[in-house]
């Protein structure tokens, strides 16, 4: 129970379904006495109080599990290391993989519970992970890393309803969190300044910004960790024409950021690392719909085996802003099963 409206309603629905429910708030921040700033941040003292208030209203036991050290190691430190290596990680995906459905689920099962219920907007049907009916709030992308074993210990009560319906249920029960803003951005960077956060962790690492067409140095930077492939804003370049430039590649060893014009940003083939599957591994080659970023549209793809256990995704349409470190989540391609999540693989080369 994060203290938000989604987990509050998920807990209420679990109680309504007749389950023996215990509320658990995860203390993930080492500085939990800080207050929220609107929709930014998480794990504050306010969030814990909001979660406890809902548990009291539902009449269920409530506990706080301190997983701050594990979260720092598995999510925050991983986030910093990935950026230092020139990749663009998704910390929500990593949190689901290593915290909510590993550390939390393992502890819950050890304590005799049967499953972990969360407020994620996704569905489980016959043990298979599917998109939420609310396309605008669908979170199946950040759950695509889960295995069949992890999904067997999960319940997602909100996947069959819209966010408006969730808020209406909360309001009908008199929950104070009914109108609480959704959290957004990266939860452990409450001020939203990702570049500043990384610079404080990694220090200044200056280097050149190079134009791909001419090879000329068109700017400098204070660290490759301040950039991601596809980025346009904040480059501060001195180029001879007015065409916008985008980040094409990041080389952390030489500290070089390469930029180019829009026509150079598209890719139609993506290579990945080894995949994880939400069920039995499918036979390759296969056709799938591939989503390459958390809020991107899926694109048809021919999926074949690549080197070192990875995949090769031949995309039906050119995609921009595909960065190493992101997750390529695969969905079933046909109209009947098109919301079925097959699995995911980390983008290695785009």
């Amino acid at each position: 129970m994060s203290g938000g409206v989604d987990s509050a309603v998920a807990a209420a629905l679990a109680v309504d379904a007749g389950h023996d429910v215990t509320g658990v708030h995860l203390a993930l921040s080492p500085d939990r006495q800080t207050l929220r700033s609107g929709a930014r941040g998480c794990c504050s003292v306010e969030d814990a109080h909001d979660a406890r208030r809902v548990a009291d209203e539902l009449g269920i036991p409530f506990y706080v599990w301190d997983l701050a050290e594990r979260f720092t190691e598995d999510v925050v430190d991983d986030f910093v290391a990935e950026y230092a290596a020139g990749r663009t990680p998704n910390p929500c995906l990593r949190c689901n993989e290593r915290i909510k459905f590993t550390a939390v689920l393992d502890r819950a099962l050890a304590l005799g519970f049967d499953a972990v219920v969360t407020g994620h907007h996704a569905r489980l049907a016959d043990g298979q992970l599917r998109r939420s009916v609310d396309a605008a709030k669908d979170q199946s992308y950040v759950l695509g890393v889960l295995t069949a074993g992890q999904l067997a210990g999960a319940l997602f009560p909100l996947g069959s309803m819209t966010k408006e319906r969730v808020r209406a249920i909360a309001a009908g029960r008199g929950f104070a969190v009914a109108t609480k803003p959704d959290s957004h951005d990266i939860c452990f960077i409450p001020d939203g300044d990702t570049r500043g956060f990384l610079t404080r962790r990694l220090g200044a690492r200056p280097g050149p910004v190079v134009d791909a067409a001419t090879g000329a140095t068109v700017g400098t930077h204070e660290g490759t960790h301040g950039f991601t492939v596809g980025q346009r804003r904040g480059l501060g370049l001195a180029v001879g024409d007015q065409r916008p430039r985008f980040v094409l590649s990041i080389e952390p060893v030489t500290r070089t950021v390469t930029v180019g014009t829009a026509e150079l940003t598209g890719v139609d083939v993506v290579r990945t690392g080894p995949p994880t599957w939400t069920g039995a591994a499918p036979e390759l080659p296969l056709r799938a719909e591939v989503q390459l970023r958390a809020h991107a549209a899926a694109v048809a793809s021919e999926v074949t085996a690549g080197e070192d256990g990875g995949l090769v995704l031949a995309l039906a349409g050119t995609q921009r802003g595909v960065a190493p470190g992101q997750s390529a989540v695969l969905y079933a391609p046909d109209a009947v099963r098109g919301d079925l999540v097959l699995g995911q693989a980390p983008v290695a080369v785009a």
Side-chain angles (χ1 to χ4, degrees):
M1 299 181 70
S2 66
V5 64
D6 289 328
S7 58
V9 172
L13 294 176
V15 171
D16 290 349
H19 297 298
D20 183 6
V21 179
T22 294
V24 173
H25 178 76
L26 302 182
L28 302 178
S29 171
D31 184 16
R32 292 185 291 277
Q33 297 306 310
T34 57
L35 301 181
R36 289 175 64 87
S37 176
R40 297 186 185 276
C42 75
C43 311
S44 70
V45 63
E46 293 169 296
D47 293 320
H49 289 166
D50 287 342
R52 184 181 296 277
R53 188 176 300 112
V54 170
D56 288 344
E57 292 171 355
L58 293 174
I60 61 174
F62 179 82
Y63 297 93
V64 175
W65 288 0
D66 188 347
L67 295 177
E69 183 175 346
R70 178 78 178 264
F71 182 79
T72 297
E73 293 175 355
D74 287 351
V75 179
V76 180
D77 290 350
D78 174 82
F79 178 83
V80 174
E82 286 290 283
Y83 265 101
R87 295 186 287 268
T88 303
N90 186 309
C92 294
L93 186 147
R94 192 70 69 233
C95 181
N96 286 327
E97 176 191 20
R98 298 183 181 179
I99 303 299
K100 294 176 182 175
F101 296 97
T102 298
V104 174
L105 180 58
D106 288 349
R107 182 181 292 188
L109 295 175
L111 290 172
F113 293 98
D114 299 309
V116 170
V117 182
T118 76
H120 284 99
H121 284 262
R123 290 182 294 143
L124 280 172
D126 299 322
Q128 296 180 308
L129 180 64
R130 295 179 178 272
R131 288 191 185 275
S132 168
V133 299
D134 188 340
K137 292 296 182 180
D138 175 54
Q139 293 176 294
S140 62
Y141 176 87
V142 294
L143 297 170
V145 71
L146 302 184
T147 65
Q150 291 170 318
L151 291 170
L155 292 174
F156 305 129
L158 307 188
S160 60
M161 64 182 70
T162 64
K163 186 57 178 272
E164 289 74 16
R165 177 60 180 156
V166 172
R167 291 197 181 278
I169 292 173
R173 290 177 175 267
F175 292 163
V177 296
T179 58
K180 187 173 182 177
D182 291 338
S183 295
H184 63 81
D185 295 328
I186 300 169
C187 70
F188 52 85
I189 308 179
D191 63 1
D193 182 9
T194 300
R195 180 179 291 185
F197 172 84
L198 291 167
T199 299
R200 289 191 295 274
R201 292 297 190 97
L202 296 170
R205 300 181 178 185
V209 179
V210 175
D211 189 86
T214 65
T217 297
V218 292
T220 60
H221 64 79
E222 293 303 310
T224 58
H225 52 265
F227 301 89
T228 187
V229 169
Q231 178 179 335
R232 175 184 176 183
R233 298 183 182 277
L235 301 183
L237 307 180
V239 292
D241 58 62
Q242 298 303 311
R243 293 183 297 171
R245 298 302 198 272
F246 301 81
V247 174
L248 301 180
S249 65
I250 299 167
E251 174 45 65
V253 176
T254 62
R255 302 179 181 179
T256 301
V257 175
T258 301
V259 299
T261 52
E263 62 268 20
L264 299 178
T265 62
V267 298
D268 52 21
V269 175
V270 174
R271 291 174 173 79
T272 79
T276 57
W277 304 105
T278 60
E283 292 186 7
L284 299 177
L286 64 85
R287 292 191 61 79
E289 297 287 326
V290 179
Q291 186 171 331
L292 294 164
R293 296 185 306 281
H295 303 293
V299 60
S301 175
E302 183 76 21
V303 183
T304 57
E307 298 178 354
D308 300 322
L311 303 174
V312 177
L313 313 177
L315 308 177
T318 299
Q319 298 294 296
R320 294 180 176 179
V322 183
Q326 293 174 326
S327 181
V329 176
L330 281 61
Y331 295 82
D334 58 85
V336 175
R337 301 190 308 141
D339 59 358
L340 175 66
V341 183
L342 302 176
Q344 71 82 44
V347 174
V349 179

